[in-house]
Amino acid sequence: MKVQLFTIRIASSHFSADQQALNDFLQQIKFVKSDTHFVESTEEPHWSVLLHYESNPQAKENSITVEEADLTPGSLYVLECLKQWRTDKAETLNIPKFMVCHNSELISIAFHHPKNKEALGSIKGFGAKKIEKFGDEIIEVLNAL
C-alpha cells in the first residue's frame, strides 16, 4: 500500500486547483482509505488529506494523453460520431456539451474503443456517475460503428 499527502487550502484562490489535483489523482489509483485533518494556521488554514492507495495499472494504461492527431482515419470517424451523440445529448438535456463529455474524453474513447461499461471506466474522466449516466449510450454508439 502506498500513501500520498494532499493539502487543500481553504482560500478561494487555491481551493479549486487543490481539489482538482486530488480528484485527478483519485482517477488514477485504487483508493483504499483516507485520513483527513483540518489544520488551523494563522498563515493559511487547510485540510490535510492522507490517501492510502494501491496502483491501478488499468488506469495508468489509459491515462496517457491521446490527441486527435494520434487517431487513425477510422478512429477520427468514431470521434465525429461521438461528437454528434454528445451534441444531441446536450441539446436533449439542455446543458453545455462539455458537461456531457470533454473533447479529450471523446478522443480517448475513440482511441481505446472500449467494448463495455467496465472498460469505459478506465478512460480518464469516467467515474461511476458518468458511466451510469452515459455509459450505455456511448457503448451503443461504438457498437453501431
Side-chain angles (χ1 to χ4, degrees), residues 4 24 34 65-66 71 73 82 102 104-105 107 113 126 137:
Q4 178 72 34
D24 290 344
S34 65
T65 302
V66 180
L71 299 178
L82 289 168
H102 293 275
S104 61
E105 295 166 346
I107 291 168
H113 205 82
F126 275 83
E137 292 182 45

Side-chain angles (χ1 to χ4, degrees), residues 29-143:
I29 53 98
K30 182 178 178 193
F31 176 81
V32 176
K33 70 176 186 171
S34 65
D35 299 305
T36 58
H37 298 282
F38 185 72
V39 179
E40 293 186 51
S41 168
T42 55
E43 292 178 23
E44 190 167 31
H46 61 274
W47 282 96
S48 178
V49 180
L50 183 64
L51 289 178
H52 301 262
Y53 69 98
E54 295 175 0
S55 296
N56 186 349
Q58 187 178 24
K60 287 183 181 179
E61 172 187 318
N62 291 341
S63 68
I64 299 168
T65 302
V66 180
E67 297 181 13
E68 196 167 336
D70 299 324
L71 299 178
T72 64
S75 295
L76 284 170
Y77 176 72
V78 171
L79 176 61
E80 291 309 312
C81 293
L82 289 168
K83 284 182 176 181
Q84 184 59 54
W85 165 80
R86 176 186 63 183
T87 298
D88 295 345
K89 188 53 124 175
E91 287 174 2
T92 300
L93 298 174
N94 198 28
I95 59 175
K97 291 188 285 188
F98 74 88
M99 291 183 72
V100 176
C101 286
H102 293 275
N103 281 340
S104 61
E105 295 166 346
L106 295 180
I107 291 168
S108 289
I109 292 168
F111 183 83
H112 294 289
H113 205 82
K115 302 293 183 213
N116 53 44
K117 291 193 317 186
E118 292 76 28
L120 191 59
S122 68
I123 302 292
K124 184 176 180 181
F126 275 83
K129 287 182 182 179
K130 188 175 276 191
I131 291 171
E132 179 65 31
K133 198 168 188 179
F134 303 121
D136 287 331
E137 292 182 45
I138 290 171
I139 297 302
E140 213 173 278
V141 169
L142 294 174
N143 288 337

